[in-house]
Amino acid sequence: MLGFILTTFLVGLTQGTLHHLVVGTVNGGSLYSLELDDAARTVTLLKNNSAAGASPSLALYQNKLYLYGIQASDATLSKYSVEQDYSINLQGTLELPEACGTRNFKSAKISPGPLNPYNIFGSASTGNCSTVFTTTRSGDYTFQSKDIVGDIRSLAWSSSGRHLYALDFKTNHILNYNIPDDPKLDDLVDIALLTNVTNPRQIVTHPVGHRIYVVTQDSNELLDIPVLQSDLMGTNVTAFRFNVLPSSLANSDYTTQSVAVSASNTTLWTLSRSYGMSVISAFSLDKTTGAVVKPIVRASWRDYSASLDSFIAPAPVGGDLIAITNSPQGVTAFIELQGTGLKSYPRLDLGQDLGEGLWLN
Ligand SMILES: *[C@@H]1O[C@H](CO)[C@@H](O)[C@H](O)[C@H]1NC(C)=O
Ligand SMILES: *[C@@H]1O[C@H](CO)[C@@H](O)[C@H](O)[C@H]1NC(C)=O
Ligand SMILES: *[C@@H]1O[C@H](CO)[C@@H](O)[C@H](O)[C@H]1NC(C)=O
Ligand SMILES: *[C@@H]1O[C@H](CO)[C@@H](O)[C@H](O)[C@H]1NC(C)=O
Ligand SMILES: *[C@@H]1O[C@H](CO)[C@@H](O)[C@H](O)[C@H]1NC(C)=O
């Protein structure tokens, strides 16, 4: 009997997996290492690492031994090592390339290149003018695009890894860069207009379907855009459109800034916020084509934040687990889709305006 209980206990233990997430801040100087135990359903703050500065956008290098944080206000990109105990140590800091003769940036993003040479790609925007750039792992040299008259706020990779899509919040275009083995960002193959769209806020792609998804900030719409097998789009893009919010909520009260596809490849998430309430919505996707099928579940919570910036980070480990940072302000929350229901883990309040979450495992 005792043997049976012990065995059950051990099996229970080995089934649990530990996952780790790094979260940066918008104004502070910390990079937080969080641990999530999916069997015990606990979330703990493992390390409060000191960073070079704020790191609202983060990128993990391909070998997972380094991560990068970008900060618009001081126009820097910092490189950190990820240690075995999940401490994060600063390795060096690089100045961002200028755009339109200035480094007076209002926002910046980074994204790891999915193919060899695994450069880090980024964008920086003054609000009127932007640049897209790439650096090697060591940050030795930087190539950048021509100045872009517009406000690039979001980047995404085509499923082949050969095209980088940059979303312009101001002029409602998607810029499509061809990325060869020696990326120099000098091969802009499409400048596609999103017709009848304003304030497109974030772009993501489906990992296998040739599909782009965009959320619009003010009209709270989800755009589902098929792209050609070649990753090209043409000049004018017509999207399938979905309302993110139910008709019972007033669109004008909400902004939608975040969209993500979870590792199952069959669920898309959007997060919409007002001063008072946040709404997470999950849509089902066709596993092969990535086409949005239908909304499957929504949940809401009270939210009293000073800013409405928030981020969804899908866990890299199968399934439909996501981390939401900064909704409400300072909080990291974990939500999982199970069937057509949502399960949540305890939340961790870090007491600071948070940036993107980055999963290490
Ligand atoms: C855009 O440019 C104009 C003039 O060049 C400037 O006055 C304005 O502040 C800029 N807006 C942003 C958001 O940078
Ligand atoms: C433009 O988009 C709005 C929703 O944002 C929609 O109501 C309207 O019908 C669209 N107009 C055209 C011409 O597609
Ligand atoms: C694309 O849309 C713009 C604005 O609606 C229009 O002026 C232009 O002619 C269109 N281009 C093509 C190739 O359809
Ligand atoms: C989702 O797509 C990626 C990229 O092809 C693949 O590696 C992964 O196994 C897929 N996930 C599932 C759950 O099928
Ligand atoms: C992390 O450390 C910084 C610097 O010491 C401190 O200001 C901040 O409050 C700490 N964060 C938490 C959640 O304890």
Side-chain angles (χ1 to χ4, degrees):
M1 192 59 183
L2 185 63
F4 173 71
I5 290 170
L6 194 64
T7 311
T8 315
F9 180 58
L10 285 176
V11 168
L13 267 187
T14 51
Q15 277 172 344
T17 311
L18 298 179
H19 304 290
H20 298 90
L21 182 88
V22 175
V23 184
T25 66
V26 170
N27 318 305
S30 293
L31 275 171
Y32 295 106
S33 306
L34 273 47
E35 184 171 86
L36 176 140
D37 182 328
D38 67 6
R41 303 194 77 80
T42 54
V43 178
T44 43
L45 173 56
L46 267 192
K47 306 272 177 194
N48 178 354
N49 309 284
S50 58
S55 341
S57 179
L58 298 171
L60 187 63
Y61 186 69
Q62 185 261 346
N63 65 10
K64 300 189 177 185
L65 297 177
Y66 300 98
L67 66 82
Y68 296 78
I70 195 170
Q71 187 188 15
S73 58
D74 67 359
T76 56
L77 176 69
S78 296
K79 178 187 175 187
Y80 302 86
S81 60
V82 180
E83 308 299 337
Q84 290 211 321
D85 66 351
Y86 300 103
S87 328
I88 310 288
N89 291 325
L90 179 64
Q91 303 288 305
T93 291
L94 182 75
E95 202 167 48
L96 297 184
E98 289 183 356
C100 310
T102 181
R103 285 197 183 87
N104 196 2
F105 297 125
K106 290 203 168 58
S107 68
K109 279 277 168 199
I110 38 177
S111 177
L115 298 178
N116 198 19
Y118 303 111
N119 282 8
I120 298 298
F121 290 76
S123 61
S125 169
T126 67
N128 285 340
C129 191
S130 308
T131 188
V132 177
F133 62 89
T134 176
T135 76
T136 60
R137 177 175 112 182
S138 56
D140 287 345
Y141 62 87
T142 298
F143 287 106
Q144 72 184 107
S145 65
K146 288 185 183 147
D147 287 347
I148 300 159
V149 178
D151 186 6
I152 301 297
R153 297 265 190 108
S154 181
L155 302 171
W157 290 93
S158 69
S159 40
S160 70
R162 284 289 170 207
H163 290 259
L164 179 65
Y165 301 125
L167 181 66
D168 189 332
F169 181 74
K170 202 160 205 168
T171 72
N172 316 315
H173 283 89
I174 298 173
L175 280 64
N176 180 357
Y177 290 93
N178 178 42
I179 306 293
D181 291 337
D182 56 337
K184 295 191 172 71
L185 291 163
D186 55 359
D187 192 7
L188 180 56
V189 289
D190 275 324
I191 306 178
L193 177 69
L194 293 167
T195 47
N196 190 28
V197 168
T198 52
N199 302 145
R201 187 65 175 79
Q202 195 184 353
I203 183 168
V204 293
T205 51
H206 192 266
V208 285
H210 292 265
R211 219 89 191 177
I212 289 174
Y213 314 98
V214 167
V215 284
T216 61
Q217 180 175 284
D218 300 336
S219 57
N220 303 293
E221 284 182 289
L222 166 64
L223 311 179
D224 169 7
I225 303 163
V227 292
L228 302 174
Q229 291 288 322
S230 57
D231 301 331
L232 299 182
M233 280 173 288
T235 314
N236 284 356
V237 168
T238 308
F240 298 99
R241 302 169 83 124
F242 297 82
N243 290 321
V244 165
L245 296 172
S247 52
S248 57
L249 296 178
N251 244 334
S252 55
D253 291 347
Y254 286 82
T255 68
T256 301
Q257 303 199 0
S258 333
V259 58
V261 175
S262 48
S264 67
N265 302 345
T266 54
T267 308
L268 178 141
W269 303 81
T270 60
L271 182 64
S272 311
R273 300 177 75 187
S274 68
Y275 293 102
M277 181 100 93
S278 273
V279 180
I280 186 96
S281 310
F283 294 79
S284 55
L285 302 178
D286 183 289
K287 194 179 177 108
T288 316
T289 66
V292 174
V293 181
K294 59 172 191 222
I296 40 181
V297 61
R298 280 197 187 88
S300 61
W301 57 86
R302 286 155 76 92
D303 188 346
Y304 299 97
S305 293
S307 97
L308 295 180
D309 289 334
S310 59
F311 309 91
I312 303 172
V317 284
D320 284 308
L321 172 65
I322 57 168
I324 296 173
T325 49
N326 216 43
S327 171
Q329 196 160 16
V331 169
T332 301
F334 297 87
I335 294 180
E336 194 166 16
L337 177 70
Q338 294 194 339
T340 54
L342 294 179
K343 269 193 126 167
S344 57
Y345 288 74
R347 297 170 166 197
L348 196 64
D349 189 351
L350 297 164
Q352 268 174 299
D353 204 0
L354 299 175
E356 293 170 5
L358 178 74
W359 290 87
L360 301 175
N361 52 40

